[in-house]
């Protein structure tokens, strides 16, 4: 049944599916995991880096990109599609600033990206963008935001979410471990993002990239050393928790 | 004839019956050249079973030549990685032979001189118990080659006192269920067994209307017909390339009767799996 209705984006199947959009969501699952967490005073984006070939320049393989000084995004899916969407979003951020003399709100730029994606699900001869994005930032009112978009052009606000490969496992981990009280502490939010990625990362802390935005501060990318420190701390805490558990059972 | 959305013209199937007559005429019009091309194609697609040391073809089928009480077959790269890291690292496995075949899915274009390193289907037996066989099949065996593969491996009159375990993967979008695929706990295992397989399966059985495809289906059907106890463990996953989470989804199979005695070093296995991942990573920049 699917094969007769999945060749053109503008064709609905009899049971109401847009197969090309659903297939685009499968393409997203081929990208490595990205996780976003909204704390009280911080927003965190963590990604599982793809291993870089020996001769490849690591700086050009990026999953976390700044859209403006106060907004950044991480994506999962087709690299080239992401590049096009990011370029359009960056231009829109500057155009908005010039026209309205105000920086974009996180919701505005998310809506822009989502509308762009939706257009490609309703156009003749084009295919949808094969990416999902996690967009984070602080608005002028000082409130932290985290939004997620997907290839169909929908967008929603989240407290914490994951996209890409094994997103379901990471989301379940976040559901179990995210608490509003803990997120009041910036370092707890950072640790939660790293712990969530360690659940599914193939080579542990070496392949994790992290970015944070604090209120009224620019985007900060963590260096490999800083991430290693965090991972060591997390492992220590895990060991101590396990020792306590074994003492209790004894 | 019918026009599609894109304006291409396709031949609509005709129920008038005139098509059959056309086919017969075409067969009569076959030239010696066509026959020769057909013969060459058949030769190219032949499945050859070769002995390890001499690289000569086996005269009889593999299981007719060697006695076998247990046969574990891994089809697909994740199943192969699972056996390599969890089963083959405990005990010494000796290569017995390999099956060489060529079809359109093969990466190499040269069908005649496939090098030993490209042997896609390798057979091993356990040195301490030579009746335990293992097959690592990481190539695609086309429909027309599956019968040949079965004949060359199992033979035309197989012994019934062996147990067959097959491991393979399938993409989760092939799994038919009333739930949405987004809510399924991917990856997950399902089992399908022949009538003569009496042991309990290590996971739930495959629900209808799901079916098994390709070589695993051919082996299972063969075992059902010949009343050989066999079980297939099918892992539905959303990552078809080599992926540690998919490989680890096969772990419940380690508690089955056929594999329990073969597995010793599980912590070491995770290390071996990690190594396999790093060596096998194909550099592709399409997805990030």
């Amino acid at each position: 049944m699917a094969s007769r209705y999945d060749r053109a984006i503008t064709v609905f199947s009899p049971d109401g599916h847009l197969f090309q959009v659903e297939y685009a969501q499968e393409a997203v699952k081929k990208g490595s995991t990205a996780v976003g967490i909204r704390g009280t005073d911080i927003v965190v984006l963590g990604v599982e880096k793809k291993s870089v070939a020996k001769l490849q320049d690591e700086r050009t393989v990026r999953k976390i990109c700044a859209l403006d000084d106060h907004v950044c995004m991480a994506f999962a899916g087709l690299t080239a599609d992401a590049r096009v969407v990011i370029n359009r979003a960056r231009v829109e951020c500057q155009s908005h600033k010039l026209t309205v003399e105000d920086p974009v709100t996180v919701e505005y730029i998310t809506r822009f990206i989502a509308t762009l994606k939706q257009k490609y699900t309703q156009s003749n001869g084009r295919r949808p963008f094969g990416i999902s994005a996690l967009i984070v930032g602080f608005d002028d009112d000082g409130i932290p935001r985290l939004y997620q978009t997907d290839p169909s052009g929908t967008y929603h606000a989240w407290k914490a979410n994951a996209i890409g490969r094994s997103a379901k496992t990471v989301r379940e981990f976040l559901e179990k471990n995210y608490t509003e009280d803990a997120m009041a502490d910036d370092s707890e939010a950072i640790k939660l993002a790293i712990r969530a990625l360690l659940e599914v990362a193939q080579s542990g802390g070496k392949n994790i990239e992290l970015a944070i935005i604090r209120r009224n501060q620019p985007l900060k990318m963590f260096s490999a050393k800083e991430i290693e420190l965090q991972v060591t701390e997390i492992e220590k805490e895990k060991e101590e928790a396990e020792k306590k558990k074994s003492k209790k059972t004894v | 004839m019918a026009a599609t959305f894109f304006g291409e013209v396709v031949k609509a199937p005709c129920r008038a019956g005139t098509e059959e007559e056309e086919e017969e005429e075409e067969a009569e019009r076959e030239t010696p050249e066509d026959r020769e091309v057909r013969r060459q194609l058949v030769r190219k697609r032949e499945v050859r079973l070769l002995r390890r040391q001499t690289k000569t073809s086996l005269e009889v089928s593999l299981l007719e030549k060697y006695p076998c009480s247990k046969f574990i077959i891994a089809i697909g790269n994740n199943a192969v990685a699972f056996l390599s890291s969890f089963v083959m690292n405990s005990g010494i496995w000796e290569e017995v032979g390999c099956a060489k075949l060529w079809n359109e899915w093969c990466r190499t274009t040269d069908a005649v001189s496939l090098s030993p390193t490209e042997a896609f289907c390798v057979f091993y037996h356990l040195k301490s118990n030579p009746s335990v066989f293992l097959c690592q099949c990481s190539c695609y065996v086309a429909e027309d080659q599956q019968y040949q593969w079965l004949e060359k491996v199992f033979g035309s009159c197989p012994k019934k006192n062996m147990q067959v375990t097959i491991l393979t993967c399938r993409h989760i979008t092939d799994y038919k269920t009333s739930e949405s695929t987004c809510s399924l706990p991917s990856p997950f295992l399902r089992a399908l067994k022949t009538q003569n397989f009496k042991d309990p399966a290590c996971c739930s059985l495959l629900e209808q209307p799901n079916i098994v495809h390709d070589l695993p289906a051919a082996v299972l059907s063969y075992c059902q017909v010949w009343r050989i106890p066999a079980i297939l463990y099918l892992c539905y996953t959303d990552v078809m390339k080599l992926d540690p989470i998919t490989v680890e989804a096969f772990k419940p199979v380690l508690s089955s009767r056929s594999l329990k005695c073969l597995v010793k070093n599980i912590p070491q296995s995770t290390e071996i799996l990690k190594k396999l991942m790093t060596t096998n990573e194909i550099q592709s920049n399409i997805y990030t």
Side-chain angles (χ1 to χ4, degrees):
Chain A
M1 190 59 128
S3 53
R4 287 164 60 196
Y5 298 97
D6 61 3
R7 287 204 309 183
I9 182 58
T10 53
V11 175
F12 272 108
S13 72
D15 55 347
H17 286 279
L18 276 175
F19 282 109
Q20 281 298 309
V21 175
E22 293 182 19
Y23 297 166
Q25 280 163 344
E26 289 301 314
V28 169
K29 289 189 198 163
K30 288 187 135 62
S32 57
T33 320
V35 73
I37 296 188
R38 186 187 80 195
T40 316
D41 306 308
I42 190 174
V43 284
V44 186
L45 275 181
V47 299
E48 185 197 348
K49 262 192 310 189
K50 218 179 57 167
S51 54
V52 174
K54 263 193 188 165
L55 298 173
Q56 203 171 31
D57 189 343
E58 210 180 321
R59 291 172 308 159
T60 55
V61 182
R62 283 273 176 262
K63 255 170 94 80
I64 302 179
C65 312
L67 298 181
D68 203 343
D69 299 325
H70 61 298
V71 188
C72 79
M73 84 171 227
F75 66 91
L78 286 157
T79 324
D81 284 8
R83 190 184 66 233
V84 168
V85 168
I86 290 169
N87 283 345
R88 298 255 197 116
R90 283 173 171 168
V91 166
E92 179 61 21
C93 284
Q94 298 315 307
S95 166
H96 184 276
K97 213 183 266 183
L98 286 169
T99 319
V100 186
E101 292 184 0
D102 274 331
V104 293
T105 59
V106 185
E107 198 263 344
Y108 175 90
I109 197 64
T110 307
R111 194 167 4 107
F112 173 79
I113 292 174
T115 312
L116 174 67
K117 286 184 177 179
Q118 192 279 339
K119 278 202 196 120
Y120 279 66
T121 69
Q122 221 173 5
S123 285
N124 193 3
R126 295 183 190 179
R127 60 163 179 80
F129 285 104
I131 66 160
S132 276
L134 288 171
I135 302 156
V136 296
F138 278 85
D139 287 337
D140 261 347
D141 53 10
I143 300 180
R145 311 266 182 205
L146 164 64
Y147 287 93
Q148 185 232 341
T149 66
D150 69 16
S152 61
T154 57
Y155 72 96
H156 298 279
W158 290 78
K159 293 178 190 165
N161 199 4
I163 53 175
R165 195 181 314 156
S166 321
K168 196 161 182 284
T169 317
V170 177
R171 207 173 301 127
E172 280 167 7
F173 177 86
L174 291 170
E175 280 172 12
K176 273 192 212 149
N177 293 281
Y178 181 97
T179 50
E180 301 271 8
D181 301 326
M183 294 304 112
D185 183 355
D186 290 357
S187 56
E188 280 305 313
I190 295 170
K191 280 207 190 114
L192 181 64
I194 298 181
R195 277 165 56 210
L197 283 172
L198 286 173
E199 291 281 306
V200 296
Q202 290 183 11
S203 350
K206 287 181 233 148
N207 272 13
I208 292 179
E209 216 168 61
L210 204 81
I212 61 166
I213 303 183
R214 288 197 164 96
R215 192 173 292 113
N216 298 323
Q217 287 182 36
L219 167 71
K220 175 180 179 338
M221 293 286 300
F222 273 43
S223 66
K225 266 194 185 164
E226 287 170 309
I227 295 176
E228 225 185 283
L229 273 166
Q230 294 282 344
V231 172
T232 336
E233 245 188 78
I234 288 168
E235 281 172 0
K236 252 194 225 168
E237 283 171 13
K238 226 184 180 181
E239 271 178 42
E240 282 169 15
E242 273 172 20
K243 274 190 198 160
K244 272 187 190 166
K245 242 189 185 177
S246 56
K247 272 188 189 165
K248 269 187 186 169
T249 50
V250 164
Chain B
M1 298 296 190
T4 65
F5 177 80
F6 293 107
E8 54 190 272
V9 174
V10 280
K11 197 174 174 189
C14 166
R15 285 185 267 189
T18 47
E19 246 186 32
E20 283 173 21
E21 292 172 11
E22 283 177 23
E23 274 182 31
E24 279 177 17
E25 285 175 23
E26 266 183 48
E28 282 172 16
R29 274 185 254 128
E30 198 185 62
T31 62
E33 220 175 32
D34 294 334
R35 263 172 273 160
E36 181 54 34
V37 166
R38 222 183 281 270
R39 233 176 286 142
Q40 276 186 10
L41 203 60
V42 167
R43 226 176 298 146
K44 208 177 178 189
R45 297 175 73 84
E46 197 189 318
V47 176
R48 286 167 288 150
L49 209 63
L50 306 172
R51 254 185 282 258
R52 183 185 167 260
Q53 285 100 346
T54 55
K55 292 293 168 203
T56 52
S57 294
L58 276 168
E59 313 85 22
V60 291
S61 73
L62 187 79
L63 298 186
E64 273 175 60
K65 191 171 170 68
Y66 301 98
C68 172
S69 61
K70 223 183 262 186
F71 195 9
I72 306 160
I73 310 174
I75 302 170
N77 49 6
N78 283 304
V80 164
F82 173 74
L83 283 190
S84 301
S85 9
F86 288 86
V87 176
M88 292 183 78
N89 71 322
S90 5
I92 304 175
W93 293 83
E94 209 174 44
E95 190 186 319
V96 168
C98 61
K100 286 205 180 156
L101 53 97
W102 178 89
N103 53 47
E104 294 75 20
W105 282 267
C106 288
R107 295 229 174 84
T108 107
T109 44
D110 191 347
V112 175
S113 48
L114 282 168
S115 72
T117 48
E118 286 169 299
F120 304 111
C121 242
V122 192
F123 298 90
Y124 302 88
H125 70 182
L126 190 58
K127 221 174 175 179
S128 54
N129 182 1
S131 70
V132 177
F133 269 81
L134 203 147
C135 169
Q136 304 269 56
C137 183
S138 41
C139 65
Y140 178 72
V141 181
E143 290 88 0
D144 56 317
Q145 295 171 313
Q146 283 160 16
Y147 180 72
Q148 275 189 64
W149 191 96
L150 285 171
E151 246 197 327
K152 299 252 160 101
V153 175
F154 284 89
S156 41
C157 200
K159 300 187 183 76
K160 294 173 188 56
N161 56 348
M162 67 170 156
Q163 197 179 73
V164 179
T165 308
I166 312 156
L167 305 172
T168 190
C169 280
R170 196 77 192 167
H171 199 275
I172 197 171
T173 45
D174 280 346
Y175 184 66
K176 294 172 183 57
T177 170
S178 49
E179 292 171 50
S180 141
T181 45
C182 307
S183 60
L184 288 170
S186 156
F188 58 91
L189 271 187
R190 287 291 185 267
L192 192 61
K193 51 185 181 169
T194 60
Q195 211 163 9
N196 287 60
F197 190 89
K198 301 298 177 201
D199 295 337
C202 304
C203 60
S204 10
L205 293 180
L206 188 64
E207 306 90 339
Q208 289 201 355
N210 292 291
I211 60 171
V212 181
H213 302 78
D214 305 326
L215 187 63
V219 176
L220 210 62
S221 306
Y222 184 90
C223 292
Q224 172 69 4
V225 166
W226 287 102
R227 303 205 193 134
I228 300 170
I231 185 162
L232 162 70
Y233 287 104
L234 178 53
C235 178
Y236 282 101
T237 174
D238 47 9
V239 183
M240 284 309 281
K241 68 166 198 164
L242 198 60
D243 168 53
I245 297 178
T246 306
V247 173
E248 297 203 338
F250 280 110
K251 267 189 173 160
V253 182
L254 296 176
S255 59
S256 70
R257 209 164 66 104
S258 50
L259 288 180
K260 215 191 308 193
C261 40
L262 298 173
V263 180
K264 273 151 213 156
N265 286 318
I266 296 198
Q268 207 186 38
S269 314
T270 5
E271 284 308 309
I272 298 179
L273 186 59
K274 272 192 192 158
K275 260 195 213 163
L276 266 174
M277 292 298 146
T278 42
T279 49
N280 278 303
E281 242 159 34
I282 305 165
Q283 263 316 310
S284 163
N285 293 309
I286 305 178
Y287 301 99
T288 303

